[in-house]
Amino acid sequence: MQPIIDIPLWLAHKRRALAHPVSGADFLMRRAAEDLADRLGAVERKFNRAAVLFCQTPAAADLLAASGKVADIVRVEADAAFLNGEAGLVSSLETVPFEPESLDLVVCLLSLQAMNDIPGMLVQIRRALKPDGLFLGAFAGAGTLSELRESLLAAETELYGGASPRVIPFTDVRDAGALLQRAGFALPVADVETVTVRYATLFGLMADLRAMGETSALVDRSRRPGTRKLFARAAEIYAERFADADSRIRTSFPIVWMSGWAPDASQQKPLKPGSAKVSLKTILENPEGRRPGSNNR
C-alpha cells in the first residue's frame, strides 16, 4: 500500500511540539477527553483492563482513572517522550502490542488520522478486545481545515500556476462506520462533532498547528518551502472567504467518533428480515400509532 502520511515526520513534528509547549494549544485533545467522559458515562459497566493508544498526552488516561470505571490502565505511545517518564509501553504507530482477547476497553484519541492503514489498526484493536469489549476512538475527519486547504490552494494556483497538497486527506464519518463493520465490530456507531475555532488571522491558526505538531506530514507534500508571499496571499483569501462580521476567521475541526464492541453471544442481534409483526405501511396509515383492531388512545 502506498503510504500517504510520512509517519516519522509526523512524530518529529509531535516531538518538536512537546519540546516547545504552548499553553492552550492542546484544546482539541482536551475537548476530545471531555467528550470521552460523556460517552464513557453513558456505558453502564466497569472495565478491568484498558489500553489508551497513541493519545500523545495523559488526558485520556487521566479521564479513565478519574471515572472510577477502569481498574487497570495501560498507556501506549509511539515515542517514550510522550510518556514523560510515566509508566507505559512504547510501540510503533499502527501496532497494538497486546495479546488477543486481553483487553476490556481500548481508547484512541486524535491519532488515527495520521495512520496509513486505519482498517488494519481497527482489526488489531478488535482482536485485542475480549468478547464484549469496547472500543472508543476519535480522529480528525473530513472537512478538517477545509478553509485553510481552499485558501492555500487558491493562493498557490494564483501565484505559481499550480498547487501541491499541503493538508492531509481525512476520512468521512460514513466511511468510518463502514470501517468498523469491515474490522468485525458489533453494534458499530460513527458520528461527528464539529469544533469551530476563530482566529484573528491565518497566522494564528498556523501557530496553533505548529504547537499541536500538526503541520503537513504528507509523503507527497511540496518540497518547495512556502514563501512569505504565498502565506500572505493565502491569509487575504482566507479573510475574504471565511471571516465573520467582526473580521475574525473560522476554522473547522470535525471530530469523528467511533464506537464498537467485540462480538459476543450476549449482545443484541438485529431482527431477521420479515420478522416484524406490523408493517411499515400499516404504521404510516395509522399516524396516531394505533394497531389494527386496537382501542388504544
Side-chain angles (χ1 to χ4, degrees), residues 238-256:
Y238 205 128
E240 291 166 3
R241 299 183 184 183
F242 305 109
D244 291 328
D246 60 0
S247 299
R248 294 180 68 83
I249 61 171
R250 303 181 304 279
T251 300
S252 301
F253 294 97
I255 306 299
V256 174

Side-chain angles (χ1 to χ4, degrees), residues 53-286:
L53 301 180
F54 309 116
C55 293
Q56 310 143 54
T57 81
D62 290 348
L63 179 279
L64 294 187
S67 73
K69 289 191 170 187
V70 185
D72 180 31
I73 303 165
V74 183
R75 278 187 66 190
V76 180
E77 297 292 354
D79 192 295
F82 300 134
L83 293 171
N84 195 29
E86 297 181 5
L89 301 177
V90 176
S91 180
S92 299
L93 199 70
E94 300 186 315
T95 301
V96 179
F98 295 95
E99 294 295 321
E101 299 188 5
S102 61
L103 301 170
D104 301 285
L105 172 67
V106 173
V107 170
C108 183
L109 300 186
L110 301 185
S111 61
L112 283 168
Q113 74 276 357
M115 300 184 187
N116 288 301
D117 186 12
I118 297 176
M121 184 66 177
L122 293 176
V123 168
Q124 291 183 69
I125 290 171
R126 196 261 301 156
R127 288 175 178 167
L129 285 168
K130 296 177 182 178
D132 207 31
L134 175 63
F135 165 60
L136 290 170
F139 62 91
T144 296
L145 299 175
S146 58
E147 303 90 349
L148 177 62
R149 183 198 305 269
E150 181 177 325
S151 300
L152 286 171
L153 179 64
E156 196 165 13
T157 301
E158 176 185 312
L159 294 175
Y160 304 118
S164 301
R166 294 181 180 273
V167 178
I168 67 172
F170 297 98
T171 301
D172 184 83
V173 63
R174 292 168 294 185
D175 294 330
L179 289 173
L180 286 169
Q181 290 182 314
R182 176 178 168 184
F185 282 97
L187 309 174
V189 176
D191 62 272
V192 61
E193 295 187 6
T194 298
V195 178
T196 301
V197 185
R198 302 198 317 141
Y199 292 91
T201 69
L202 173 146
F203 299 104
L205 165 61
M206 293 179 64
D208 265 1
L209 292 176
R210 283 193 296 272
M212 294 178 196
E214 289 292 352
T215 47
S216 180
L218 284 166
V219 170
D220 292 332
R221 66 192 179 278
S222 173
R223 272 24 182 206
R224 178 175 59 192
T227 63
R228 183 176 299 179
K229 183 178 181 181
L230 169 64
F231 291 116
R233 180 58 184 137
E236 292 174 349
I237 294 171
Y238 205 128
E240 291 166 3
R241 299 183 184 183
F242 305 109
D244 291 328
D246 60 0
S247 299
R248 294 180 68 83
I249 61 171
R250 303 181 304 279
T251 300
S252 301
F253 294 97
I255 306 299
V256 174
W257 277 91
M258 311 170 78
S259 68
W261 298 81
D264 183 71
S266 66
Q267 294 164 348
Q268 288 183 318
K269 302 293 188 299
L271 294 174
K272 295 180 179 179
S275 63
K277 296 180 180 177
V278 181
S279 71
L280 178 60
K281 180 175 182 292
T282 300
I283 294 173
L284 294 176
E285 290 176 349
N286 290 271

Side-chain angles (χ1 to χ4, degrees), residues 9-19 56 82 212-214:
L9 180 61
W10 183 79
L11 287 171
H13 290 167
K14 289 292 182 178
R15 286 193 294 267
R16 182 181 63 191
L18 184 66
Q56 310 143 54
F82 300 134
M212 294 178 196
E214 289 292 352

